[in-house]
Amino acid sequence: MTNSAAADPTGPTDPTRPAESPEAPETPEAALRRWRAAAQQPDSVLIDGFHALKHTLRFGGELRLVLTSDRAALAGLAEGLAPDVAAAVLAAAVEVPAAAVRELVPRPHPTGVAALARRPDPAQALARLRALPRRAPVVVLDNPRNLGNVGAVVRLAAGFGATGVVTTGDLDPWHPTVVRAGAGLHFATDVAHLTADQLPPGPLFVLDPQGADIHSVRLPDEALLVFGSERHGVSRELRSRADALLAIPMRPLVSSFNLATSVGMGLFHWQSGHRSAG
C-alpha cells in the first residue's frame, strides 16, 4: 500500500514517493534517500515492526515506505501471520542492509521491518470524537507519564471498539514508542492530544479510589472514561467536573492497578453492561 495521492506531473517531484520505474525495482540507496525525506514530514508516523505494519494496513493506514533487512523473512511472516495484507506488504517493501535500518530506527524491531505512514488528519479524528450519539465511550488519559502504558491503552481501546483515546498533558500519544506499544492500532481508533477544556462532549466518569463501586453504575455509550496516572491520579480540575467518581474494587494495602489494566477493566464493565442491556 503506497501513498494514494497522485503526483502532479507538471509540478516538483514528491521526495516521499518512489520514482516511476516499471522496469526495475527501487534501489536501496533511493529508498533510504526517500525515507530520510519522508521522515522530515510533520505528519509522518514511524511504524515499527511487522505487527504494527499489518494493523496499519488492515485499518486503512496510508504507507509512505516500508524497509526490511530480510525480504524473504518478511514474506514468510506476512504469508503466515497476515495473508490478508501480505501482497500489500511485499509490494511496498524495499530490502536494505540491516545496518541501515539500525541507523534509521532508534530501536529496531526483532522482525527487521519498519515503515513510515501518514498520520490521519487530526481535524477529522477530532470531529469523530466529538460526534454524538456515540456507539462506544472515549477513553481519557489525564496527564499520563509512561509511553508504553499509553500504547497499551490504545491497543485495548481498539480491541474493545472504543470511539477513541484522548490524552492531556505533555506526552505525545503519537510518539514512536506509543505507536510501537500500540501495535499500530492507532489506525483502528481515533487518538488525539487535547487540553482538559477541549474534551469531547459526554458525561465524565472519573476513575478514583474514593468513588462508588463501578459495578453499581451502567456506563453509557457517550461516556468519557477518565483515568489518571498511577502516581498522581486524576487532576483536581477533572475531578471537580465529574458526573460520577467510580472505583474499581481492589484488595486493601495494594497501591494501584497499572493504568492499562484499569482501562481494560473499565471498558470490560462498559461492554458487559452494553451486552446485558441488549
Side-chain angles (χ1 to χ4, degrees), residues 104-132:
L104 295 172
V105 180
R107 188 163 58 101
H109 195 273
T111 54
V113 61
L116 290 174
R118 186 188 298 273
R119 177 178 170 175
D121 184 345
Q124 293 181 11
L126 185 56
R128 288 189 292 268
L129 288 165
R130 288 178 172 165
L132 291 175

Side-chain angles (χ1 to χ4, degrees), residues 6-20:
D8 180 357
T10 64
T13 300
D14 180 351
T16 72
R17 289 178 57 82
E20 298 296 333

Side-chain angles (χ1 to χ4, degrees), residues 117-220:
R118 186 188 298 273
R119 177 178 170 175
D121 184 345
Q124 293 181 11
L126 185 56
R128 288 189 292 268
L129 288 165
R130 288 178 172 165
L132 291 175
R134 283 194 286 268
R135 298 177 61 185
V138 173
V139 174
V140 178
L141 303 182
D142 186 30
N143 196 25
R145 311 312 304 157
N146 184 282
L147 294 165
N149 275 346
V150 176
V153 168
V154 171
R155 192 169 183 171
L156 281 166
F160 277 102
T163 294
V165 176
V166 170
T167 65
T168 69
D170 55 7
L171 185 150
D172 177 10
W174 284 88
H175 186 283
T177 301
V178 180
V179 178
R180 177 173 177 149
L185 286 163
H186 283 60
F187 294 89
T189 190
D190 285 307
V191 179
H193 177 247
L194 302 173
T195 62
D197 59 359
Q198 294 174 327
L199 294 181
L204 260 65
F205 291 85
V206 170
L207 276 291
D208 185 276
Q210 305 306 314
D213 188 325
I214 193 171
H215 296 105
S216 66
V217 175
R218 180 178 179 273
L219 297 171

